[in-house]
Amino acid sequence: MSENCLFCKIIKGEIPCDKLYEDEDVFAFRDIAPQAPMHVLIIPKEHLRGPEAVGEANERVMGKLMRVANEIAGKEGQTDYRLVCNNGAVAGQTVFHLHMHIIGGRPLGWPPG
Ligand code: AMP
């Protein structure tokens, strides 16, 4: 846990969220500013700054993030969706606790802006 991290505070229950999933490794909740009908954030409970901080010790949980993300999308009624993981401010990362966006429920354009 990191003291001043927004997502660590959400995991600890210090900041409310619309939680969809939690286990010993992973936590998922609805994005506060949804960009599509389904917009969920899935995060490791361990505070990792972003993909750049992932090492061999985290590989099991990274795979679990993807498996659980697919399960959440299915429960939300979506088979077609996008997983987005921004790494660094120039790429759009604003919260520096690794997270994947699970976005779907409408046609999604490509490439991103
Ligand atoms: P990123 O820009 O990739 O770092 O994504 C951060 C995401 O966190 C944005 O989509 C925000 O809308 C979302 N967000 C920020 N604060 C909260 C919050 N309190 N609860 C849920 N989502 C949040």
Side-chain angles (χ1 to χ4, degrees):
M1 290 287 166
S2 176
E3 279 294 307
N4 293 315
C5 171
L6 173 68
F7 287 175
C8 286
K9 289 180 180 168
I10 286 177
I11 292 167
K12 285 186 275 185
E14 294 174 6
I15 292 175
C17 74
D18 188 354
K19 181 168 82 173
L20 295 182
Y21 181 88
E22 179 174 14
D23 66 25
E24 66 275 21
D25 301 311
V26 169
F27 195 97
F29 52 102
R30 293 192 195 281
D31 196 292
I32 203 167
Q35 302 300 311
M38 174 181 68
H39 190 167
V40 175
L41 300 173
I42 184 164
I43 67 180
K45 283 190 165 175
E46 180 181 357
H47 181 82
L48 298 168
R49 182 178 162 84
E52 65 176 20
V54 173
E56 286 184 16
N58 314 110
E59 286 178 359
R60 180 188 64 82
V61 175
M62 293 303 112
K64 189 174 193 179
L65 279 186
M66 193 158 287
R67 176 174 61 76
V68 174
N70 185 64
E71 289 172 7
I72 290 170
K75 284 185 186 147
E76 293 287 305
Q78 306 299 331
T79 53
D80 297 8
Y81 59 86
R82 184 173 293 167
L83 298 177
V84 175
C85 188
N86 296 322
N87 189 38
V90 175
Q93 188 176 10
T94 59
V95 178
F96 291 86
H97 180 128
L98 190 152
H99 51 281
M100 282 201 305
H101 300 254
I102 314 168
I103 300 168
R106 65 166 170 80
L108 298 170
W110 191 263

